[in-house]
Amino acid sequence: MLKNEFQAGGRTPHHEQLTGDLVVVGGGMAGVCGSITAARQGLRVLLVQDRPVLGGNASSEVRLWALGATSHMGNNNRWAREGGVAGEILVENLWRNPEGNPILMDALLLEWVTREPNITLLLNTAVSAIEMDANGGISGALAFCSQNETSYTLTAPLFCDASGDGILGYLSGAAFRMGAEATSEFGEGLAGPEPVHELLGHTLFFYSRDTGKPVTYIPPAFAISDITKIPRYRELRVTDTGCRLWWLEYGGDMDTVHGSEEIKWELWRIAYGVWNYIKNSGEFPDAANLTLEWMGTIPGKRESRRFEGDHILTQQDIVEQRTHNDAVSLGGWAIDIHPARGVYSAEPSCVQWHAKGVYQIPFRTMYSRNIPNLFLAGRILSSTHIAFGSTRVMVTCGHNAQAVGMAAALCIEEKILPRELLDEGRMERLQRRLLRAGQHIPGVRLRDPQDLASTAKMSATSSLHIDTLVASGELRDANMPCALLLPVTAGPIPAISLLVDAATQASLHMEVWKSSKAGNTTPDVKLASADVVVEAGQSIPAKFHFDAHIDQDSHVFFIVAPAAGVQLHMSKAQLPGVLTLWQTLNRAVAKSAVQNPPEGSGIDSFAFWLPERRPVARNLAVTVDPPVQCYEPEMAINGWGRPWSGANAWAPATEDTAPRLRLKWDTPQTLRTIELTFDADFDHPMESVLMGHPERVMPGCVTSFTVSTAEGETLATVAEHHQSYWRLTLAKPVTTAGIELAILGHGSAPPAVFEARCY
Ligand SMILES: Cc1cc2nc3c(=O)[nH]c(=O)nc-3n(C[C@H](O)[C@H](O)[C@H](O)COP(=O)(O)OP(=O)(O)OC[C@H]3O[C@@H](n4cnc5c(N)ncnc54)[C@H](O)[C@@H]3O)c2cc1C
């Protein structure tokens, strides 16, 4: 029995002092991805999260689907899904949880963090104070866990604020801003004439469930009773649950940090009032059997403080796709701005302006400009309110934080502070390490002198060519513009044969376009056009010849104009870096098929060319003459880890039943590490919750394989593989004249290998 007598002067809570290399505050997608990246580089990471689970807005406590540059596949950013840890988590979530159950996403994040031996995870632990050192840096963070009644002092040479509101930055005195800038400050066309306190607000979601029998609903007294206060109430649908209710937003004109509890109460009033309207207004007979299964208890926060780094990301960085020597990450979500009054505003709930492609995010936005050892991760990134409209999404936050985690590793190794990474040579090291870990830095190719694969002679049992996409018998009316997006090698543009059914004689028109910027997949440069007349009939080939060429390997659009009475034959063939696109819109992220921005806004007008999702997605059935030879073995060592101005993959011919990729050296090499990256379909957004997906493994992914030496020693046998990245670290180095990858299994598409590296 424990008996404690009265203690004069009171007691202090149990206290623990923890020391690491990096303290990360906040366990949202940013904190998680940054911590794992740093820990994998050998840093001792202390990750503090005030909630019982990880993920922040991606957790089951808020239930938002994590998204990034792919933007629900609703813009022209092809193959833009983030890499590294963030990508790995999405791919793993798809493998384990294709139904998008938020509880399973929680469990995955918890597993991914706790399996890293270098991470000390403190859940239910909130940082509330800090200690500063004599150099103006942070020396300690003070935290308390109410569950185990323990206070912590966390010390490290480096700190990363991934807390969303920026508790470390705020307490340390780091420069920050809140609200919207005026145009005069950065020249942003979308900004207003005056700086204003207008932010994006908070939101609470709910889930409903069909019980199979009528369910009565009596709302709490605090629920709003007059639904007409919400101008958009007529758009409510019974099927809207979870983050489809993103527009139940409130508080953007308030103090979104200190007013957070007040905002939450209003959101509860709104959400329970909306459910009351659905259940009891008589407008929704389909709701009779529904019960309110889950109601959010903490709001999803969109915007509060944005801290200032050495660079503040602006609208122009995004729209003009400006390049930066210190580029370490990418963005690609639209500039997505909401009215500050949220659900009570009569304005549209959001306006989204897309760029023509993904944009670089520089490292200078990821550390405080005046607190020397403070990294910024997540939505507190250094950006204007307008640019924040794009950078704020969670996979972008996670991907940026990976750059922070890797930067922290370099800082510890070299005993330097974040800003010093901008010095000669260091930024290249940071970029190289990031690219090796799967980071996508638009336009930055991995060139690694240490990589022995770059000196190898590449060969393979066969290589795929883009020759004929065989017709499957399925037809589509040629009633909207569509395009075949092909990776074409430098030289003349090949002729393309379509296969069509025509009710009467018809004139077909095809245009060839490319993008003005390398890596983009927005057609804005016309190269050629051709017309072909076809007679009435079925399965008629229509061959288009073009008098044009390209100087560099590039993605090229073969655009088929609509033609009355014509049907296009489709193909089930899927090839890496090849897509059929439709000039249409995705209502989740755009209001029209052609973006029409206001005059003077600085936003480009262009058409959206969108692929369909599997399982309905099909390619146009075509013959390409001469065939495009873009999947040669050398592609696996060209430094690009995904389709970018080309397919950048080796893939074997379809008839090759035992495909092998071989690396050979004239003199034997001693290898310790082998890295391969496979095709986990970077075009797929892999929304993490709510929205189910039909596949668990991407069709072009290599699912089973062996890696052996030229001398016949098997180094690895792998089954049930589904990730893009694979790494083998040999317990004992091997000396060999070559390495062979034998592909034993893959999905319905040709297996593609983007990268092979040896060290
Ligand atoms: C309604 C809504 C819709 C959105 N739509 C999308 C979308 O469709 N897709 C998308 O990807 N993004 C979307 N976003 C944006 C996105 O959710 C946020 O910008 C993103 O979550 C920011 O990531 P983060 O890691 O910085 O912050 P968070 O996800 O907020 O994570 C920060 C974590 O830090 C913790 N924390 C805070 N203070 C402390 C402290 N003192 N000590 C310890 N821990 C602390 C918090 O509890 C939280 O778990 C939306 C946001 C909202 C609210």
Side-chain angles (χ1 to χ4, degrees):
M1 186 194 123
L2 175 69
K3 192 162 180 293
N4 233 315
E5 297 298 341
F6 168 73
Q7 193 167 318
R11 301 184 178 94
T12 53
H14 175 69
H15 179 258
E16 283 187 29
Q17 170 96 33
L18 300 175
T19 301
D21 298 311
L22 174 70
V23 172
V24 179
V25 178
M29 283 302 282
V32 165
C33 295
S35 296
I36 295 174
T37 304
R40 288 183 183 173
Q41 297 298 313
L43 262 56
R44 293 164 304 145
V45 179
L46 307 175
L47 171 59
V48 201
Q49 160 74 336
D50 64 359
R51 308 301 310 168
V53 287
L54 294 163
N57 285 356
S59 73
S60 64
E61 292 197 304
V62 181
R63 305 192 178 197
L64 264 164
W65 43 41
L67 274 165
T70 56
S71 190
H72 277 307
M73 278 164 86
N75 62 13
N76 291 347
N77 301 346
R78 302 278 59 81
W79 302 289
R81 198 184 64 241
E82 292 72 8
V85 177
E88 185 183 300
I89 287 170
L90 291 182
V91 172
E92 193 65 25
N93 186 52
L94 199 74
W95 165 250
R96 298 180 181 198
N97 179 25
E99 295 80 20
N101 178 342
I103 307 295
L104 299 185
M105 177 70 176
D106 282 353
L108 170 62
L109 293 176
L110 288 167
E111 178 188 326
W112 239 239
V113 165
T114 53
R115 71 179 192 167
E116 293 297 333
N118 287 336
I119 299 182
T120 302
L121 172 64
L122 302 177
L123 289 176
N124 292 313
T125 304
V127 167
S128 56
I130 58 162
E131 290 166 347
M132 301 291 285
D133 64 25
N135 304 317
I138 302 173
S139 57
L142 311 179
F144 181 71
C145 173
S146 61
Q147 297 297 303
N148 62 8
E149 212 183 67
T150 300
S151 71
Y152 297 89
T153 302
L154 311 169
T155 58
L158 296 170
F159 287 77
C160 169
D161 193 333
S163 67
D165 286 342
I167 183 79
L168 285 182
Y170 181 74
L171 295 176
S172 64
F176 74 91
R177 37 183 73 209
M178 227 169 149
E181 290 81 3
T183 303
S184 54
E185 189 169 2
F186 295 100
E188 295 177 306
L190 288 176
E194 299 294 334
V196 282
H197 184 86
E198 286 185 358
L199 300 98
L200 309 193
H202 297 6
T203 293
L204 272 176
F205 303 131
F206 57 79
Y207 273 32
S208 58
R209 180 169 56 88
D210 193 331
T211 63
K213 60 180 172 45
V215 176
T216 304
Y217 174 66
I218 298 168
F222 57 78
I224 58 165
S225 52
D226 179 6
I227 196 71
T228 62
K229 281 188 179 163
I230 298 177
R232 221 182 126 171
Y233 78 94
R234 285 194 190 84
E235 292 172 39
L236 284 165
R237 290 172 302 184
V238 172
T239 47
D240 285 344
T241 56
C243 50
R244 293 206 169 86
L245 294 160
W246 59 267
W247 54 277
L248 299 184
E249 179 170 351
Y250 180 75
D253 50 359
M254 297 168 63
D255 177 345
T256 51
V257 177
H258 303 107
S260 215
E261 279 295 298
E262 194 185 334
I263 295 170
K264 178 199 68 187
W265 272 103
E266 186 62 24
L267 287 168
W268 266 342
R269 281 166 39 76
I270 292 166
Y272 282 110
V274 163
W275 187 245
N276 182 36
Y277 173 67
I278 289 175
K279 284 294 290 182
N280 295 327
S281 65
E283 298 287 328
F284 303 93
D286 292 351
N289 291 357
L290 298 186
T291 188
L292 193 56
E293 175 163 80
W294 170 83
M295 172 64 76
T297 50
I298 55 163
K301 294 185 181 187
R302 284 188 181 81
E303 182 177 9
S304 54
R305 303 179 182 115
R306 304 183 312 276
F307 285 82
E308 294 184 8
D310 278 344
H311 181 77
I312 296 180
L313 201 82
T314 65
Q315 173 184 328
Q316 294 92 320
D317 285 319
I318 294 173
V319 177
E320 296 166 19
Q321 299 174 270
R322 288 184 178 172
T323 53
H324 307 272
N325 290 335
D326 60 329
V328 288
S329 185
L330 90 157
W333 188 259
I335 295 176
D336 180 355
I337 304 292
H338 303 194
R341 291 194 61 242
V343 73
Y344 294 132
S345 169
E347 293 172 48
S349 306
C350 74
V351 282
Q352 292 169 308
W353 299 116
H354 297 265
K356 285 183 174 179
V358 295
Y359 58 90
Q360 295 183 340
I361 301 184
F363 179 62
R364 284 163 296 147
T365 61
M366 299 179 188
Y367 58 85
S368 163
R369 71 173 167 80
N370 59 344
I371 303 296
N373 65 345
L374 177 61
F375 286 108
L376 310 171
R379 63 182 167 87
I380 68 168
L381 185 93
S382 176
S383 69
T384 64
H385 169 72
I386 296 293
F388 165 87
S390 170
T391 58
R392 66 197 176 89
V393 283
M394 285 181 275
V395 191
T396 303
C397 289
H399 199 255
N400 291 344
Q402 288 161 198
V404 165
M406 192 67 82
L410 264 70
C411 286
I412 294 294
E413 285 167 24
E414 301 198 19
K415 297 189 172 44
I416 56 171
L417 289 165
R419 183 179 281 123
E420 293 172 82
L421 283 168
L422 298 172
D423 294 351
E424 189 72 33
R426 285 185 176 136
M427 189 45 60
E428 280 163 28
R429 280 192 62 203
L430 174 59
Q431 289 172 331
R432 202 180 301 141
R433 296 248 302 244
L434 281 166
L435 290 168
R436 256 190 83 178
Q439 191 88 349
H440 180 26
I441 310 175
V444 182
R445 172 197 282 231
L446 177 58
R447 294 188 192 279
D448 189 352
Q450 313 272 303
D451 177 10
L452 297 168
S454 63
T455 62
K457 279 201 194 84
M458 302 296 292
S459 64
T461 45
S462 68
S463 293
L464 184 69
H465 298 153
I466 307 177
D467 183 350
T468 300
L469 305 190
V470 180
S472 61
E474 297 155 292
L475 293 162
R476 295 276 179 91
D477 289 337
N479 56 3
M480 71 195 289
C482 67
L484 186 67
L485 181 61
L486 285 188
V488 175
T489 46
I493 299 290
I496 299 283
S497 287
L498 294 174
L499 204 60
V500 301
D501 284 7
T504 56
Q505 189 192 63
S507 176
L508 299 177
H509 180 70
M510 188 182 277
E511 295 186 355
V512 183
W513 291 68
K514 65 170 193 161
S515 299
S516 52
K517 277 204 168 84
N520 274 8
T521 41
T522 292
D524 53 4
V525 177
K526 187 174 168 183
L527 297 174
S529 66
D531 295 278
V532 170
V533 174
V534 289
E535 299 303 326
Q538 292 182 342
S539 298
I540 314 282
K543 188 164 185 177
F544 297 84
H545 295 270
F546 305 102
D547 182 16
H549 75 282
I550 47 170
D551 299 334
Q552 292 174 334
D553 293 0
S554 180
H555 266 105
V556 171
F557 287 74
F558 295 89
I559 299 179
V560 185
V566 173
Q567 290 186 301
L568 303 166
H569 281 256
M570 307 306 290
S571 171
K572 285 186 178 164
Q574 304 170 64
L575 304 177
V578 173
L579 285 169
T580 291
L581 310 170
W582 303 85
Q583 203 216 304
T584 183
L585 78 156
N586 176 344
R587 288 186 197 282
V589 295
K591 299 216 165 20
S592 54
V594 176
Q595 176 163 283
N596 289 311
E599 189 98 1
S601 62
I603 300 291
D604 292 319
S605 177
F606 60 91
F608 296 113
W609 289 91
L610 309 182
E612 291 174 325
R613 289 189 187 234
R614 293 184 297 273
V616 291
R618 294 286 181 271
N619 275 313
L620 286 170
V622 295
T623 301
V624 182
D625 181 20
V628 180
Q629 304 192 359
C630 62
Y631 304 115
E632 300 305 305
E634 291 73 24
M635 288 291 150
I637 55 165
N638 77 351
W640 296 110
R642 61 176 61 208
W644 177 269
S645 294
N648 298 317
W650 167 72
T654 355
E655 56 279 4
D656 188 346
T657 51
R660 306 278 187 276
L661 178 68
R662 297 188 181 109
L663 295 83
K664 283 248 162 68
W665 293 278
D666 293 337
T667 52
Q669 304 290 325
T670 301
L671 311 180
R672 285 173 182 79
T673 304
I674 297 169
E675 294 169 353
L676 299 169
T677 67
F678 301 114
D679 186 1
D681 188 0
F682 288 109
D683 207 50
H684 192 318
M686 299 187 177
E687 290 87 348
S688 54
V689 295
L690 192 68
M691 188 167 159
H693 302 286
E695 302 149 325
R696 294 176 61 216
V697 185
M698 293 299 97
C701 193
V702 174
T703 51
S704 58
F705 58 96
T706 59
V707 175
S708 45
T709 63
E711 295 76 27
E713 184 188 350
T714 302
L715 301 177
T717 302
V718 181
E720 279 216 339
H721 186 75
H722 48 273
Q723 286 284 350
S724 171
Y725 186 81
W726 180 81
R727 178 190 171 115
L728 174 69
T729 305
L730 295 163
K732 217 170 91 208
V734 64
T735 301
T736 177
I739 288 292
E740 179 177 279
L741 164 70
I743 296 178
L744 307 177
H746 61 92
S748 54
V753 178
F754 287 121
E755 293 167 296
R757 290 190 290 270
C758 300
Y759 297 90

